[in-house]
Amino acid sequence: MFKRVVSSVVVLAAVAFGAAAPAQAVGFQTTASALNIRSEPFLSAAVVKVLNGPTAVDVDCQKLGDSVTVPGRAATSWWAHLPAHGGYATVGYINTTETKLPGVPDCPADPPPPAGDVTLADVQAMFGTRIANPSIVQTGLPSLNQAMRTASINTPRRKAAFLATLVHESRLEYNIREIGDTRVYGGRGYIQLTGDFNYGPAGQYFGIDLLGNPELARSLQWSAPIARWYWTVARNINPMADALDMGKVNAAIGYPAGAEDQRRCDSFKNALRYLSGSVPAGVICTRSKALSGDTSMLTKAQFEALDRIPGTVG
């Protein structure tokens, strides 16, 4: 009787707060000895667990994602959600001859992104073929949008400058490593964090050991927050975007002036045009002489002093 009363209370509470009852899970068997369980149904998504097996699993729903081909089986784009393991496994490694699990409902559609958030379609429209790996970009967008909200990157100018910078740094791929860079503290993640002089302070800011574990800089958890840290803490770039000064934005990111400045400025204009309908007059694509060199190793104070008009303070 007590159990029945408790169950009734739980059901009533769920109804009162608008919670949907979980779908009944269906039992299956995995067929792999070491199966990656991913946070989303994409091969680029973070691995949340490696499931040893074959083993029995419960599946509560299934979702379309990346296509996977398993030897001896037809390719499938369906992924099984395993609630007990907190992620998705490709149906290719579930014991069924079908490409979609029988008797398992589709997962509910993802809710629309919050108003103002940037979508995959948005960045593809802004930057075209620079978005080379859409599934990786899609996986990272929730964390990137959250970082943008936290950093007050919330106007067309700020969004255009931030996204144009990241698309040139990392193609908007959270997990990218600079090609050919074998340095311990070489470029990683959205902002291509580089140098112990950045890894150390960024790690201290977030309370993580980036010097001891630099690969965290390109993890789904930390790549976007680190980009936000660089944009607002290591530098103060939002005001530069407000002033349409892409030359100074590029100097703040830290590389010598050259043809890349114009390429990034063109991407900034494309993003502005998409986000606001036009490109305002006054966009600055070039740098002052003081900022023409590589400023990547400067502290925030040193960078700000470098471009300060002589005789001024603050």
Side-chain angles (χ1 to χ4, degrees):
M1 178 66 180
F2 176 74
K3 288 183 179 178
R4 193 176 304 165
V5 171
V6 171
S7 298
S8 299
V9 171
V10 171
V11 170
L12 288 173
V15 171
F17 288 98
Q24 184 173 355
V26 180
F28 288 92
Q29 187 93 3
T30 65
T31 60
S33 59
L35 179 60
N36 286 330
I37 309 301
R38 297 186 180 273
S39 60
E40 292 292 337
F42 302 108
L43 295 170
S44 60
V47 176
V48 298
K49 186 175 186 179
V50 177
L51 188 62
N52 294 325
T55 190
V57 292
D58 288 330
V59 180
D60 61 354
C61 66
Q62 54 191 325
K63 190 174 184 179
L64 279 171
D66 283 345
S67 178
V68 175
T69 302
V70 174
R73 293 191 54 177
T76 178
S77 297
W78 287 96
W79 292 64
H81 182 250
L82 312 183
H85 302 291
Y88 295 84
T90 172
V91 168
Y93 287 108
I94 304 290
N95 66 325
T96 176
T97 57
E98 307 294 329
T99 57
K100 183 180 183 183
L101 295 177
V104 176
D106 294 356
C107 296
D110 292 332
D117 274 10
V118 175
T119 67
L120 176 61
D122 289 334
V123 296
Q124 287 176 318
M126 292 180 212
F127 307 119
T129 57
R130 287 191 178 276
I131 305 301
N133 293 290
S135 66
I136 296 178
V137 174
Q138 179 70 66
T139 298
L141 275 176
S143 63
L144 188 62
N145 276 303
Q146 178 58 56
M148 292 169 68
R149 291 193 294 270
T150 302
S152 296
I153 301 172
N154 51 15
T155 68
R157 294 184 182 193
R158 294 180 180 188
K159 289 180 178 180
F162 185 67
L163 294 170
T165 295
L166 296 194
V167 83
H168 282 263
E169 290 290 325
S170 60
R171 300 181 306 194
L172 288 176
E173 296 172 25
Y174 71 89
N175 60 351
I176 202 165
R177 180 77 158 92
E178 187 174 349
I179 297 173
D181 191 344
T182 59
R183 295 173 295 171
V184 174
Y185 302 116
R188 290 181 175 87
Y190 279 124
I191 202 74
Q192 287 294 278
L193 192 72
T194 303
D196 56 0
F197 49 86
N198 279 319
Y199 278 80
Q204 290 174 358
Y205 182 85
F206 290 110
I208 57 177
D209 183 13
L210 278 180
L211 289 175
N213 190 3
E215 282 291 284
L216 288 175
R218 64 187 188 116
S219 68
L220 186 59
Q221 180 178 5
W222 294 112
S223 185
I226 286 170
R228 180 256 297 176
W229 167 84
Y230 191 88
W231 196 262
T232 59
V233 179
R235 297 286 188 261
N236 184 24
I237 300 180
N238 277 336
M240 305 173 198
D242 294 341
L244 297 173
D245 195 342
M246 198 62 189
K248 189 177 286 187
V249 170
N250 292 335
I253 296 303
Y255 62 89
E260 178 65 8
D261 281 353
Q262 186 61 54
R263 288 191 286 267
R264 293 186 184 217
C265 199
D266 289 342
S267 292
F268 173 62
K269 291 177 181 178
N270 287 341
L272 266 179
R273 187 178 293 108
Y274 176 83
L275 291 167
S276 63
S278 64
V279 179
V283 174
I284 302 169
C285 295
T286 58
R287 311 188 198 187
S288 66
K289 184 177 180 180
L291 297 178
S292 62
D294 185 354
T295 61
S296 60
M297 296 182 67
L298 298 181
T299 66
K300 181 179 181 180
Q302 288 170 333
F303 177 81
E304 292 175 348
L306 195 63
D307 194 45
R308 186 174 297 148
I309 298 173
T312 63
V313 294

